[in-house]
């Protein structure tokens, strides 16, 4: 069985990383128009750098939780059953990888990468970024930005995601509010293909009505329970 899993900020909430739209979430405390758009970066790069430097340090201090580990376990177990887990995340943290997952598709980029606006090179990056930061490839300073996707920019790996959806026998969304497209539209795309869809979230998302089934509760409880149930199913012949 090929399973397409889409994760959002909710899967990292119990690792101490804030979500965006819950009460007290990032966008209730900060204005995304001033921090997460190319225009904001052009107008006030220092403030945008400070915001992402803070988030980068927060991810360094966080640890994967039982939900991340359960997905890594599922990804490792599926090939022996003739299947595959396509793990697509909207998150810019690396908690899936640190839990042992591989080939994670970061459609909104990664907090631990930086990109040069002068030469376009993308680099692994764990240090703070600033307007004086020079690109290791071209040496120019002043053009390094977090290699994440801001509002108004095109998400990454869309072809790979479409291929993953086309090959899926099951679509599962975990910890996402279902308000940001194109990710929020993947469940409808899966339904049009006639495959089962399952939502795992703390509460019904904006697209809850599109899903066939759902499990609501903290991801550290609901995701391991779902993975155990999948792995307990008899292996398809
Ligand atoms: N367990 C499971 N789900 C949770 C938990 C938890 N412990 N805590 C919160 N959630 C759920 C919330 O109910 C909510 O539906 O996670 C979801 C988080 O929604 P958002 O904060 O909107 O995050 P997300 O859906 O990932 O946002 C998508 O928006 O701002 C952009 O680029 C940003 O990737 C992000 C995108």
């Amino acid at each position: 069985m090929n399973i397409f899993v889409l994760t959002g900020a909710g899967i990292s909430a119990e690792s101490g990383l804030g979500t965006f739209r819950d009460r007290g979430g990032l966008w209730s405390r900060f204005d995304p128009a001033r921090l997460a758009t190319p225009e904001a970066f052009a107008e006030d790069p220092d403030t945008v750098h400070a915001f992402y430097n803070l988030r980068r340090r927060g991810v360094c201090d966080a640890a994967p939780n039982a939900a991340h580990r359960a997905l890594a376990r599922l990804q490792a177990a599926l090939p022996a059953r003739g299947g595959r887990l396509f793990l697509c995340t909207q998150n810019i943290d690396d908690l899936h990888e640190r839990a042992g997952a591989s080939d994670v598709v970061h459609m909104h980029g990664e907090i631990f990468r930086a990109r040069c606006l002068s030469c376009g090179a993308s680099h692994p990056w764990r240090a703070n970024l600033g307007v004086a930061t020079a690109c290791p490839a071209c040496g120019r300073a002043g053009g390094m930005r977090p290699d994440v996707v801001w509002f108004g920019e095109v998400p990454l790996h869309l072809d790979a995601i479409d291929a993953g959806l086309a090959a899926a026998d099951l679509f599962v969304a975990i910890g996402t509010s279902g308000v940001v497209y194109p990710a929020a539209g993947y469940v409808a795309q899966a339904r049009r293909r006639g495959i089962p869809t399952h939502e795992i979230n703390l509460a019904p998302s904006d697209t809850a009505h599109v899903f066939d089934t759902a499990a609501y509760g903290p991801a550290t409880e609901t995701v391991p329970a779902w993975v155990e149930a999948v792995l307990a199913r008899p292996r398809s012949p």
Side-chain angles (χ1 to χ4, degrees):
M1 171 188 282
N2 293 332
I3 304 176
F4 186 110
V5 170
L6 169 70
T7 64
I11 199 170
S12 299
E14 291 162 270
S15 294
L17 296 182
T19 60
F20 296 95
R21 297 171 182 86
D22 291 315
R23 189 174 319 120
L26 272 173
W27 299 149
S28 67
R29 291 178 285 127
F30 299 101
D31 178 0
R34 300 179 55 77
L35 293 167
T37 64
E39 295 77 15
F41 185 68
E43 185 183 326
D44 185 357
D46 287 322
T47 300
V48 174
H49 277 310
F51 179 65
Y52 283 92
N53 289 340
L54 198 62
R55 293 187 67 191
R56 191 178 299 104
R57 285 200 298 277
V59 176
C60 287
D61 296 341
N65 63 51
H68 299 105
R69 288 193 295 273
L71 288 183
R73 202 161 51 247
L74 179 63
Q75 185 181 53
L78 281 179
R81 299 157 180 253
R84 177 179 179 232
L85 175 68
F86 188 97
L87 183 48
C88 174
T89 186
Q90 300 172 91
N91 300 339
I92 59 175
D93 66 58
D94 66 342
L95 298 184
H96 282 303
E97 290 87 345
R98 282 160 59 194
S102 54
D103 304 321
V104 181
V105 177
H106 285 272
M107 65 184 295
H108 291 165
E110 300 173 63
I111 191 69
F112 290 129
R113 297 195 69 84
R115 176 157 52 86
C116 175
L117 290 174
S118 300
C119 71
S122 174
H123 309 279
W125 205 274
R126 302 190 76 86
N128 281 349
L129 270 176
V131 291
T133 305
C135 169
C138 72
R140 290 191 193 88
M144 293 297 284
R145 60 164 280 183
D147 201 358
V148 299
V149 177
W150 284 326
F151 288 103
E153 295 185 320
V154 178
L156 307 173
H157 313 301
L158 295 182
D159 291 344
I161 291 168
D162 282 344
L165 283 167
D169 304 303
L170 170 64
F171 175 85
V172 181
I174 301 172
T176 182
S177 58
V179 302
V180 174
Y181 286 79
Y186 292 157
V187 58
Q189 205 168 319
R191 279 195 73 110
R192 283 195 294 275
R193 285 201 53 241
I195 62 171
T197 56
H198 186 60
E199 174 169 78
I200 300 176
N201 211 42
L202 193 60
S205 72
D206 277 34
T207 51
H209 60 287
V210 188
F211 286 87
D212 298 308
T213 57
Y216 296 119
T220 54
E221 296 169 15
T222 49
V223 177
W226 170 71
V227 167
E228 296 325 311
V230 170
L231 294 180
R233 286 180 201 155
R235 299 185 183 200
S236 44

